Amino acid sequence: MQSVKEMSVTLSHLFDTVHHNRKIEKGTFLFQEGSNADELYIVQSGILQISKIIPDGRELTIRMCSKGELVGELNLFSPSSKFLLSARVVESGEVAVIKKETLEEKLSQDLPLSFEFIQWMSQQYRKTQTKFRDLVLHGKKGALYSTLIRISNSYGIRTTKGILVELPLTNQELANFCGTSREVVNRLLSDLRRTNIISIDKGTITIHDLDFLKREIDCEDCPVEICKVD
């Protein structure tokens, strides 16, 4: 998600006015699917994994959220809103808590703020739409390639060897991003390593040929702020 420092000054001031801060511990949930969605959160430190548990037990990871990102159910002005996703803490830290009713009150009183918030929400929906487009249209291989591109945009740094992804991910975690099994991801990653498209060292991925991944999924060169996992 878009970080607070990238938002407009108006929105930044809104999100800086929080109710309280809350510690989050690795392995716990900030919120879970089906619970009452009466709060939103700004990540101050740590990393959250936002995901959907599929009925057959598989997990679909929607995004990873780190410092400065807004997390929560954005179904505002709904009296019985529930969380549709779960937020699991993968790195301990702290979140700032915004009461939903407080946000709704501010939005109802401030037209310019409401307009900018709608623009911000629109960008979040575009991110989600493009992710599911890739998952549906390009199959399991395309889903993995798309995920690698998005992860490189979110957590990659350029080196002499390629793009180093600073966020270590297991094959199961990559599979969760793709909505597929670890075995499928193992095979696809092995193919990419054999052809030197990527290399993996202690769980850390380096992408040597990003253009190959883009060609394989007919990449539309979406803006980087859209093509991300956060």
Side-chain angles (χ1 to χ4, degrees), residues 86-139:
S86 297
R88 182 168 61 85
V89 183
V90 297
E91 183 178 296
S92 298
E94 187 174 71
V95 296
V97 180
I98 300 173
K99 292 295 183 180
K100 179 186 172 186
E101 59 184 18
T102 301
L103 176 57
E104 291 172 341
E105 181 179 357
K106 289 181 179 294
L107 290 174
S108 65
Q109 295 174 353
D110 190 332
L111 183 59
L113 175 61
S114 298
F115 178 71
E116 293 204 13
F117 191 78
I118 290 172
Q119 287 183 310
W120 179 83
M121 286 183 64
S122 176
Q123 184 168 14
Q124 309 316 304
Y125 289 133
R126 287 183 64 195
K127 289 182 181 181
T128 303
Q129 287 173 343
T130 56
K131 176 179 176 64
F132 282 105
R133 175 201 64 194
D134 292 342
L135 289 174
V136 171
L137 295 182
H138 299 296

Side-chain angles (χ1 to χ4, degrees), residues 2-13 113 116-117:
Q2 188 178 15
S3 68
V4 172
K5 65 183 178 181
E6 293 172 335
M7 295 179 185
S8 69
V9 174
T10 306
L11 282 176
S12 295
H13 287 171
L113 175 61
E116 293 204 13
F117 191 78

Side-chain angles (χ1 to χ4, degrees), residues 9-108:
V9 174
T10 306
L11 282 176
S12 295
H13 287 171
L14 170 66
F15 297 140
D16 285 342
T17 306
V18 299
H19 188 268
H20 64 278
N21 283 6
R22 182 183 303 168
K23 298 289 186 181
I24 52 176
E25 299 296 331
K26 181 178 179 178
T28 64
F29 285 88
L30 176 60
F31 56 81
Q32 289 183 277
E33 180 179 352
S35 59
N36 290 330
D38 53 5
E39 296 177 340
L40 291 92
Y41 311 92
I42 302 171
V43 182
Q44 303 295 297
S45 60
I47 298 177
L48 291 169
Q49 177 180 296
I50 311 301
S51 60
K52 174 78 172 179
I53 305 298
I54 303 172
D56 64 6
R58 288 179 296 146
E59 183 176 359
L60 175 62
T61 300
I62 306 299
R63 59 184 177 271
M64 305 290 285
C65 297
S66 53
K67 183 177 179 180
E69 291 164 2
L70 178 67
V71 179
E73 181 59 51
L74 297 180
N75 186 19
L76 300 177
F77 302 101
S78 175
S80 58
S81 180
K82 302 286 186 179
F83 284 112
L84 300 178
L85 304 169
S86 297
R88 182 168 61 85
V89 183
V90 297
E91 183 178 296
S92 298
E94 187 174 71
V95 296
V97 180
I98 300 173
K99 292 295 183 180
K100 179 186 172 186
E101 59 184 18
T102 301
L103 176 57
E104 291 172 341
E105 181 179 357
K106 289 181 179 294
L107 290 174
S108 65

